[in-house]
Amino acid sequence: MTDIVFMGPPGVGKGTQAVVLAERAGLIHLASGDLLRANIRDQTELGLLAKSYVDSGGLVPDELVVDMVLDRMLDAVATLLDGFPRTVAQAVELDRRFALAHRRIDAAVLLTAPRPTLIRRIVGRRSCRQCRAQINIYHSPSRVEGICDVCGGKLMTRSDDNTATAQLRLDVYDDQTRPLVEHYRAAGVLREVEGTGEPAEVGSRIVAALAAASPHPMVGSP
Ligand code: ADP
């Protein structure tokens, strides 16, 4: 059983890397942001409550998020958590519920990149309405502007991917999520990985960091 947490500021590439690693290591990828956006799209009770927080760039209150993620996590055998936990309270609750299930977080991968890189990545991000593929207008543009290369669907910008909201999300990360680094360092599971450069290069660094850390590597070397 393996459970990994992906941490790092908005725009650092957690989602991109998480999809690849989950596939490679056979983990269920749980992205709290995607789960919230699906609830908002479907106008569920949770979605209606969460919408204003997500749009403003603030965090959704812990009590709304914790069950949404943990119920799914405890249903799965091995998971990769992306975007959760985001506060110390969420991490403490995760530890508590995991301990009851005789599980523990095996590794917390912290991806890092300088703030100007993060803003550019966030503001340039577009995703396909149909197939969810992601591109960036600055470093991986689609062949035809506004149209997905994969399926021909329309590319859209997330409501919180503008410069002002991105700045706020980065401040919220510094205030509320960064303290988690010490939580996982103290637990001896923190793996810091430089998130700048090509996605494939970052992916190789992540695999190497996990393989070096584990006596029984669950992901082979690149
Ligand atoms: P990013 O990593 O680019 O900030 P996400 O898709 O992970 O994007 O999250 C988008 C928004 O969803 C956050 O700004 C926040 O409002 C909300 N959110 C996601 N995960 C959590 C969480 N664990 N706790 C509280 N709010 C969350």
Side-chain angles (χ1 to χ4, degrees), residues 94-130:
L94 168 62
D95 290 348
R96 190 184 73 78
R97 302 263 290 262
F98 250 38
L100 291 174
H102 305 289
R103 280 163 81 168
R104 65 186 291 268
I105 296 297
D106 300 284
V109 174
L110 172 65
L111 283 174
T112 57
R115 195 166 171 126
T117 307
L118 299 172
I119 299 272
R120 212 172 143 79
R121 286 187 183 172
I122 294 173
V123 173
R125 176 160 64 183
R126 302 287 181 274
S127 62
C128 176
R129 250 179 228 287
Q130 254 165 248

Side-chain angles (χ1 to χ4, degrees), residues 9-10 57-59 115 118-119 122 163-179:
L59 293 187
R115 195 166 171 126
L118 299 172
I119 299 272
I122 294 173
T163 310
T165 311
Q167 303 272 14
L168 198 120
R169 280 156 59 203
L170 288 167
D171 291 344
V172 167
Y173 174 81
D174 283 341
D175 285 351
Q176 302 197 50
T177 309
R178 200 182 284 284

Side-chain angles (χ1 to χ4, degrees), residues 1-6 18-30 76-81 106 210 218-219:
M1 217 144 60
T2 299
D3 293 286
I4 297 177
V5 167
F6 257 32
V19 168
V20 177
L21 181 70
E23 167 86 40
R24 180 175 184 152
L27 306 174
I28 302 290
H29 175 207
L30 293 177
V77 175
T79 56
L80 196 164
L81 289 188
D106 300 284
L210 289 172
M218 64 279 161
V219 275

